[in-house]
Amino acid sequence: MPTIRSLSSSVSAKHREGVLILLSAFTACPGLFYTTPAQDGILSRIRIPGGNMESEQCSLIANIADNYGGGYVDVTNRANLQIREIKTGINIEVLQHLQQLGLGSANPNVDHIRNIMTSPTAGIDSQELIDTRPLVKAWDNYITAHPHLGGLSAKFSVGFDGGGKVSVLNQLNDITFAAVLVDGNIYFRLYLTIGGKGEPARNTGILLKPEECLPVLAALADVYLQNIDSQRQRKPRLREVINNLGIENYLRLAFTSKSLTSQPLVCHSFSQLPAQTDMITVPADSIGIHPQKQVGLFYIGVVLPLGRVESSQMRGLGDLAEKYGSGNIRLTPWQNLLITDIPQPQVVEVEREISNLGLSYSQTNIKSALVACSGKRGCAASVTETKDHALKLAKYLENRITLDYPVNIHFSGCAKSCAQHNQADITLLGVSIESENETLEGYQVYVSDSTLQKFGHQLYEYVNFSELPALIEQMLKTYKIQRLNPKETFRDFTQRDATQLKQTIHHS
Ligand code: SF4
């Protein structure tokens, strides 16, 4: 159990006690104040609303990782940061410093709520309809100022999509606001998750003006709170509450809330609209060098292998952002990051410095779209060493195949599939078998298919890890040879005919 070793005398007794209790209260979902035990130590998560951070914050987090954790930081698929392997409590002054720098909620009661998601290119995307950063900030401020929202499920998740080329529309969020143009005016379409676990969000047919989003979001959260048992430790997902109430009823309760002064534009009845089916994986524009909408400025998407960045690299990236850009860094839900606002003449210099840090900005780097859940070291449910296996696979493939653009390969250590199979081109699901008194670790192998079966189309029921890298190499090489044209993606290829792929590959 962590302890707070050094409590500042300047901290009030009440605050000290509060933080002490919060630090001691392990929960299933980590937070800055709500830590989680893992096999390799304590795990602490720092919420970064919208994944938007500054260079000064980078160096403070790197120092914490060095002084208290394992000397590295992980970017999560909600664009949070996680510090792992914490063996002793983090000094309360350090936590306060984080809060002063805008990291972690100023109100510990709501710090457990899932990070607010938005496109990492918000405000710099040449194709976006609207910059969503003010909405992220406004909702974060609203949560902080309304302690009753501490009753929300830790998994209550919200996303804002500005309609740009680096979209988060198909990321998993309970509530998504997605910008659309209707008759020359910008609205946000409201999406909600309903139905079974992992089902894509449904378009409610409701259009909101930008200024209506926040009041509607507050009303949707309040209806959730009014319909759960607040005494229960396990809070239901919003999807479960909507399933119980019925979608029309849930929306009616929210939109008749006294706090709403205007009514939204309803374009269609809910039942007429299909679910989202278009699954978006790592967007090509989130890796590599790209022009911003601000003329003469560029952003660079940097590949972080499995979201991990060493503390020295974190400091280095912060310094780069400060020296060449505006000091701004964006974490992505694809576990990479962007350095923004680099003037064109300096781009080559930044490329060189990123390489000097031992990092890549290449879209064809196999690690750019490699995802792995915590694996055995971080999760008791895992039957395989997902992270080690993913890195070994990347190393094996590195000099054997060149990709034209990212192919999403996701490793999950069990069927819970935290690595999000719905966004993978190739899903690898950990399984183990007993053989001659020995436990062998391997994977079920799936590829994305158009029928949207749970994990995709199963190609192999069990592949031992020792054979997996060569198999994946064959799959990728077969795709490159047999695709209709260089523009056909791996996903399009397998959705066209997954069995063809298996027939060509020689694997028993
Ligand atoms: S997929 Fe399974 S093993 Fe991996 S983190 Fe999730 S629960 Fe743990």
Side-chain angles (χ1 to χ4, degrees):
M1 297 279 280
T3 54
I4 299 175
R5 283 183 156 173
S6 164
L7 293 172
S8 160
S9 57
S10 64
V11 180
S12 74
K14 196 173 162 206
H15 191 177
R16 257 196 332 255
E17 189 187 342
V19 176
L20 182 60
I21 290 166
L22 289 164
L23 270 171
S24 305
F26 294 133
T27 69
C29 286
L32 178 58
F33 302 97
Y34 300 80
T35 48
T36 300
Q39 203 179 323
D40 55 5
I42 305 298
L43 165 62
S44 177
R45 185 216 62 206
I46 301 172
R47 272 174 103 240
I48 314 280
N52 203 343
M53 60 187 300
E54 302 303 324
S55 52
E56 196 186 353
Q57 297 170 331
C58 287
S59 55
L60 178 58
I61 289 169
N63 291 346
I64 296 175
D66 274 343
N67 295 335
Y68 299 93
Y72 61 86
V73 177
D74 286 339
V75 178
T76 73
N77 59 9
R78 292 205 66 82
N80 286 310
L81 287 176
Q82 279 184 351
I83 300 174
R84 304 190 71 99
E85 299 186 43
I86 298 172
K87 304 290 191 251
T88 61
I90 299 176
N91 189 312
I92 195 164
E93 287 163 329
V94 176
L95 290 176
Q96 287 181 320
H97 195 182
L98 277 169
Q99 284 182 318
Q100 282 155 11
L101 288 179
L103 292 170
S105 177
N107 179 355
N109 286 331
V110 294
D111 192 54
H112 64 290
I113 298 172
R114 278 197 165 165
N115 199 20
I116 306 164
M117 191 180 284
T118 197
S119 166
T121 53
I124 59 174
D125 190 322
S126 54
Q127 290 177 22
E128 73 181 0
L129 297 170
I130 186 168
D131 179 359
T132 49
R133 289 174 300 171
L135 285 166
V136 171
K137 182 98 189 101
W139 180 236
D140 193 48
N141 289 344
Y142 186 90
I143 294 173
T144 305
H146 292 80
H148 76 283
L149 294 178
L152 291 173
S153 155
K155 295 185 172 170
F156 190 89
S157 49
V158 175
F160 296 97
D161 185 275
K165 55 190 173 184
V166 182
S167 173
V168 293
L169 177 56
N170 288 295
Q171 292 294 304
L172 292 178
N173 282 298
D174 290 337
I175 302 172
T176 303
F177 297 88
V180 287
L181 207 55
V182 178
D183 298 333
N185 297 310
I186 295 167
Y187 290 91
F188 279 91
R189 213 182 267 291
L190 175 64
Y191 288 82
L192 295 173
T193 53
I194 59 169
K197 188 175 173 224
E199 278 189 34
R202 294 286 299 259
N203 181 347
T204 61
I206 291 169
L207 292 174
L208 300 162
K209 292 179 192 152
E211 65 273 20
E212 291 171 333
C213 292
L214 201 59
V216 166
L217 190 43
L220 293 170
D222 284 344
V223 175
Y224 166 88
L225 290 171
Q226 286 152 14
N227 286 277
I228 62 163
D229 176 357
S230 56
Q231 301 307 314
R232 269 181 58 189
Q233 201 179 355
R234 181 200 166 270
K235 302 278 168 57
R237 296 297 303 265
L238 177 64
R239 156 173 41 84
E240 297 170 64
V241 171
I242 297 177
N243 289 345
N244 283 342
L245 286 173
I247 180 75
E248 269 97 1
N249 197 19
Y250 175 69
L251 289 170
R252 183 184 55 75
L253 290 170
F255 285 107
T256 52
S257 159
K258 286 195 191 103
S259 59
L260 289 186
T261 51
S262 64
Q263 287 303 306
L265 187 57
V266 180
C267 283
H268 310 276
S269 74
F270 178 77
S271 56
Q272 289 172 323
L273 289 159
Q276 287 169 275
T277 53
D278 195 17
M279 296 181 294
I280 296 199
T281 51
V282 177
D285 286 289
S286 68
I287 299 291
I289 300 150
H290 303 276
Q292 297 184 188
K293 72 176 172 191
Q294 295 82 6
V295 177
L297 294 182
F298 285 72
Y299 69 88
I300 300 186
V302 181
V303 178
L304 305 179
L306 297 180
R308 182 154 295 183
V309 56
E310 301 298 326
S311 50
S312 58
Q313 293 172 324
M314 187 86 182
R315 268 184 219 99
L317 290 165
D319 291 347
L320 277 184
E322 190 68 39
K323 184 172 166 191
Y324 297 101
S326 57
N328 181 230
I329 279 186
R330 313 279 183 95
L331 308 177
T332 82
W334 305 281
Q335 298 177 272
N336 296 310
L337 63 76
L338 316 182
I339 300 175
T340 68
D341 307 315
I342 302 164
Q344 186 167 23
Q346 256 103 61
V347 168
V348 175
E349 191 66 9
V350 179
E351 282 174 35
R352 194 181 54 74
E353 295 218 24
I354 289 171
S355 301
N356 289 345
L357 288 172
L359 294 167
S360 161
Y361 50 88
S362 166
Q363 288 180 13
T364 60
N365 187 312
I366 196 88
K367 290 176 189 156
S368 71
L370 195 62
V371 178
C373 78
S374 315
K376 268 186 176 173
R377 248 171 285 163
C379 176
S382 188
V383 292
T384 53
E385 285 289 7
T386 52
K387 282 190 184 288
D388 287 356
H389 288 164
L391 289 175
K392 280 181 184 156
L393 173 69
K395 194 167 171 38
Y396 176 90
L397 293 175
E398 226 159 46
N399 299 320
R400 289 179 166 87
I401 186 153
T402 308
L403 297 172
D404 308 309
Y405 48 82
V407 172
N408 293 261
I409 304 176
H410 292 207
F411 283 76
S412 282
C414 78
K416 205 171 164 195
S417 190
C418 297
Q420 297 186 353
H421 57 268
N422 61 334
Q423 296 181 35
D425 296 313
I426 300 173
T427 293
L428 302 166
L429 214 61
V431 280
S432 60
I433 56 166
E434 296 299 323
S435 169
E436 296 171 2
N437 297 331
E438 188 187 9
T439 304
L440 299 177
E441 290 183 17
Y443 290 88
Q444 292 177 350
V445 180
Y446 297 83
V447 290
S448 160
D449 79 351
S450 50
T451 58
L452 293 177
Q453 294 175 57
K454 187 162 182 208
F455 299 114
H457 177 92
Q458 189 183 71
L459 282 190
Y460 300 99
E461 209 176 329
Y462 177 82
V463 178
N464 192 279
F465 179 71
S466 60
E467 297 168 354
L468 190 72
L471 177 71
I472 302 289
E473 179 191 3
Q474 276 196 68
M475 286 168 63
L476 295 175
K477 284 187 169 161
T478 304
Y479 148 68
K480 283 190 79 174
I481 293 165
Q482 294 189 351
R483 61 187 171 182
L484 290 178
N485 56 60
K487 287 202 168 149
E488 188 177 40
T489 62
F490 186 84
R491 177 172 296 254
D492 291 341
F493 173 71
T494 57
Q495 293 199 347
R496 184 162 55 78
D497 193 356
T499 40
Q500 178 195 353
L501 181 64
K502 185 169 180 178
Q503 279 160 5
T504 317
I505 294 171
H506 303 293
H507 181 85
S508 54

